[in-house]
Amino acid sequence: MFIISETPGRPLETVDGTAAPVTKRRRKVVIAPYLYVLPAITLLVMWIYRPLVQTFQLSFYRWNLLPTAPRTAVGFKNYATLMQDQDLGRAVLNTIIYILAFLLFSVVLPLVIALLSQRVHGRAKTIYQALIFVPFLVTPVATVAVWRWLFDPYDGIIVVTLRGLFGWDIGSVFRDQAGAMIAIIIIVGWQMLGFGVLVMSAGMAGISTDYSEAASVDGAGGRSILWRITLPLLSPTLLFLALMTILLSAQWTYPMIDILTQGGPDNATTNVYYLLYEIAFNNFDAGMAGAAGTVFFIVFGVIALVLVRLSDKFSFYDN
């Protein structure tokens, strides 16, 4: 047996094409890179995966969160009870409505604003983008305080303006089912808009101007350049924002629901995350909350996998 080559990263080969025995020297594993990521992996296991496993375990017990109370094994009864919960259907429907509405604020409007901002140059462009991004930095409590004043049924500027210009008296928005949901969509969308514009502008900055200049020389107009060059090259950014919106919009909505409406009126503004919170910390039903958390994790995990596969398939990269 004769060894004819030793190319790094490839197994040794003999003259007859078969793999040669791997020597002891090449079996040595370099552990230094793993040590660099060990602290991060340890924290992930401690704060993410360990609670996830404990949540899955709790879903098979009945427990009222009291440390002195015993845990009673109930099998899959918590999952059956969850599926029969009348509030679950409303929460899922509201979550879908929130996601569809937020796509407007996180993908469509940021794309339009980012395209318009390309016409602004110099320091004015930075100021323009900073003004749009600032709402994303405002804390939920401060945001709620400002918007509650704007929607005040007596002297709120929005209510007074609509009443004076169009004769619309929207009254107490947060006590009306449709009005409360629309108000929460507007408030959360107002906060999300800045993040979307920032990500969209970063994506556009990565597109070389050589393509549009070459297309202009060939006679292409602005609309043709947008549809055939800019949007295809921007597809990874668009899909990333859509992915973030679908997976995280329920979490972004939670603080506004909790502070403004507590899921009401008549569960009109609740979503799956707020329903999970109510089951766990208002009803003190840790077992059913564990079942709800497990189901929501699986559903959003499957959605994430599908979206990642679609993103890999439809994204267009400039290589």
Side-chain angles (χ1 to χ4, degrees), residues 65-284:
L65 292 175
L66 289 177
T68 56
R71 300 181 183 182
T72 305
V74 295
F76 287 92
K77 187 177 180 180
N78 288 323
Y79 291 92
T81 306
L82 177 67
M83 292 299 111
Q84 296 173 358
D85 192 339
Q86 296 180 352
D87 295 336
L88 178 63
R90 186 64 182 269
V92 172
L93 176 62
N94 287 347
T95 303
I96 295 173
I97 294 174
Y98 282 133
I99 290 173
L100 294 177
F102 291 149
L103 286 174
L104 173 67
F105 292 94
S106 64
V107 179
V108 179
L109 288 179
L111 175 62
V112 174
I113 294 174
L115 288 172
L116 293 176
S117 68
Q118 286 188 317
R119 301 180 181 181
V120 184
H121 301 284
R123 185 174 297 177
K125 183 176 182 178
T126 304
I127 296 174
Y128 175 73
Q129 292 176 339
L131 289 175
I132 296 175
F133 183 69
V134 163
F136 185 71
L137 303 176
V138 180
T139 62
V141 175
T143 301
V144 167
V146 172
W147 281 92
R148 180 173 283 173
W149 172 73
L150 293 174
F151 279 117
D152 186 89
Y154 301 104
D155 55 2
I157 188 170
I158 295 177
V159 177
V160 172
T161 302
L162 291 177
R163 187 186 300 145
L165 292 180
F166 305 102
W168 297 344
D169 188 2
I170 60 177
S172 181
V173 172
F174 299 113
R175 294 183 179 180
D176 179 74
Q177 292 191 14
M181 173 166 278
I182 293 173
I184 288 178
I185 289 173
I186 291 173
I187 296 170
V188 178
W190 174 75
Q191 279 203 305
M192 294 168 59
L193 186 62
F195 177 74
V197 172
L198 185 69
V199 174
M200 202 71 73
S201 299
M204 287 186 178
I207 300 175
S208 174
T209 57
D210 294 342
Y211 299 111
S212 57
E213 291 173 357
S216 299
V217 171
D218 292 339
R223 183 175 298 180
S224 179
I225 292 174
L226 173 65
W227 285 103
R228 295 180 181 275
I229 296 177
T230 304
L231 290 182
L233 291 175
L234 203 59
S235 58
T237 304
L238 295 170
L239 291 170
F240 167 74
L241 286 174
L243 177 66
M244 292 283 291
T245 303
I246 294 171
L247 296 181
L248 301 179
S249 60
Q251 297 182 38
W252 293 338
T253 314
Y254 169 79
M256 302 302 171
I257 296 174
D258 188 43
I259 299 173
L260 284 172
T261 64
Q262 289 80 48
D266 194 22
N267 290 328
T269 58
T270 189
N271 65 10
V272 291
Y273 275 87
Y274 194 76
L275 177 66
L276 176 61
Y277 168 81
E278 283 192 318
I279 294 173
F281 301 107
N282 287 346
N283 302 337
F284 298 102

